[in-house]
Amino acid sequence: MTICDDPDLSATKQERELASLQNKEHGRTEQFVRHHAGWMLAVANRVLRDRSHAEDAVQNAFAAVFKNLDSFNQKSSLKTWMHRIVVNEALMLLRKQSSTCEDSIDPFQSIFDENGCRIEEDWTTFRTPETILQQAQSSAQVIELIGRLPESYRVILVLRDIEELSTTEVADMLETSEANVRVKLHRARSALKKLLEPLIRGGAL
Amino acid sequence: MMGLSKRTINRIHGILFKLPMMITCRSFEDFILAYLDDKLPPRQKFVLDTHLELCPECRDYLRACRISIELAKTSAREAEVYFPIEVPEKLIQAVLEAQKVQATSNRN
């Protein structure tokens, strides 16, 4: 299940929701906004890491949704379509606030010896995600560590691995090449693995 | 290869990984993304699988990588479900107000 899937919202329900909005049924707009605002705010906050900017992104996203509702072609689900819109709006705000310099990700990359062999500290235990997340505050720690990645890498990791967009979609949204997305995603994953190692090994962060 | 030092094992691996149908860990690194996405042609996948059979470091690296990707995904989902962000009423009202203005201007 992707993070933007909504088990409560079957295809028929979505069609009804869409029809009532397009027919401008009384009270439906408010119900629609209240139903979707929560997850949209969570998505925008994951991209922007700033509550106030996330609220702006959600407001802009709803404006775009209402403006383009008549042209929504139902090739994807309503929620998937709205998910792309809120991500786009968040990215637009992120571009405005991004600084041009960011920390290097190199210190968190894999290292190799003169034979081309990987140098990896010995692993004696691997804790599973389920075990790790049973510990209080673990998910907050993981989210905090994702936030430590340099911005351009963090965004790609969030869009690919958390929002579950395809490489092509991410490249389009960030107006960059798919090759660049792939390189940055690999480096971001490597860095995140390094940052999460203490948690995976079972030690304190 | 019990009893051999890590340095010696790496030297043997260094020679072994240069044989046909073999790759070094450094080259393996370039294919990890496609390997994780299961997007490699069978021949390349075979080469990477063989490397993994022989290389505990890459095996461990890949395993930790898979766990950290899963952790990122699950943590975000858990945070959304268990610690949802409260939607401020002023945001709802601002959205509804903007929609009203948009609907009115469309009618005119």
Side-chain angles (χ1 to χ4, degrees), chain A residues 33-193:
Chain A
V33 172
R34 288 190 188 281
H35 180 78
H36 292 284
W39 70 260
M40 288 170 77
L41 195 53
V43 171
N45 199 47
R46 282 197 288 270
V47 175
L48 286 157
R49 297 180 65 237
D50 179 293
R51 191 72 64 89
S52 154
H53 287 131
E55 287 176 21
D56 291 343
V58 170
Q59 195 174 339
N60 296 344
F62 270 116
V65 166
F66 290 127
K67 191 176 168 199
N68 298 299
L69 204 56
D70 291 333
S71 56
F72 169 56
N73 55 21
Q74 300 198 44
K75 272 185 190 160
S76 62
S77 77
L78 179 62
K79 193 164 179 183
T80 302
W81 179 67
M82 289 171 69
H83 179 254
R84 302 306 186 261
I85 290 176
V86 72
V87 168
N88 251 326
E89 294 295 339
L91 287 175
M92 264 192 251
L93 290 181
L94 193 67
R95 262 179 228 127
K96 281 185 198 160
Q97 69 183 54
S98 279
S99 66
T100 43
C101 61
E102 60 181 17
D103 290 339
S104 168
I105 202 164
D106 291 348
F108 300 105
Q109 297 306 299
S110 302
I111 44 173
F112 305 93
D113 69 7
E114 68 279 8
N115 302 304
C117 289
R118 182 182 302 279
I119 299 172
E120 184 80 5
E121 209 180 306
D122 282 343
W123 285 83
T124 46
T125 50
F126 287 93
R127 296 200 306 159
T128 63
E130 295 75 32
T131 316
I132 295 166
L133 291 172
Q134 273 167 8
Q135 254 177 279
Q137 297 295 313
S138 286
S139 58
Q141 280 178 327
V142 174
I143 291 166
E144 199 268 319
L145 288 169
I146 294 171
R148 283 200 209 163
L149 296 173
E151 193 75 335
S152 67
Y153 294 89
R154 182 192 67 82
V155 170
I156 287 178
L157 184 120
V158 168
L159 297 182
R160 278 287 276 109
D161 285 346
I162 299 177
E163 303 305 330
E164 301 190 341
L165 300 179
S166 69
T167 302
T168 313
E169 284 177 306
V170 176
D172 284 350
M173 283 177 168
L174 296 175
E175 295 171 3
T176 186
S177 67
E178 289 187 30
N180 189 35
V181 171
R182 278 193 286 269
V183 169
K184 284 200 156 177
L185 176 64
H186 172 64
R187 291 167 74 77
R189 282 176 173 176
S190 258
L192 185 64
K193 173 244 171 208

Side-chain angles (χ1 to χ4, degrees), chain A residues 3 42 46 133 139 142-143 146 162-163, chain B residues 70-81:
Chain A
I3 203 153
R46 282 197 288 270
L133 291 172
S139 58
V142 174
I143 291 166
I146 294 171
I162 299 177
E163 303 305 330
Chain B
E70 189 54 39
L71 267 178
K73 239 176 240 190
T74 318
S75 298
R77 198 170 297 152
E78 283 204 351
E80 188 173 336
V81 173

Side-chain angles (χ1 to χ4, degrees), chain B residues 1 3-4 16 37 49-50 55 60 66 81 84 90 93 101 103:
Chain B
M1 290 195 235
L4 295 178
L16 191 65
D37 287 346
D49 281 335
T50 310
C55 179
D60 287 349
R66 282 197 165 111
V81 173
K90 68 172 172 43
Q93 294 310 324
V101 172

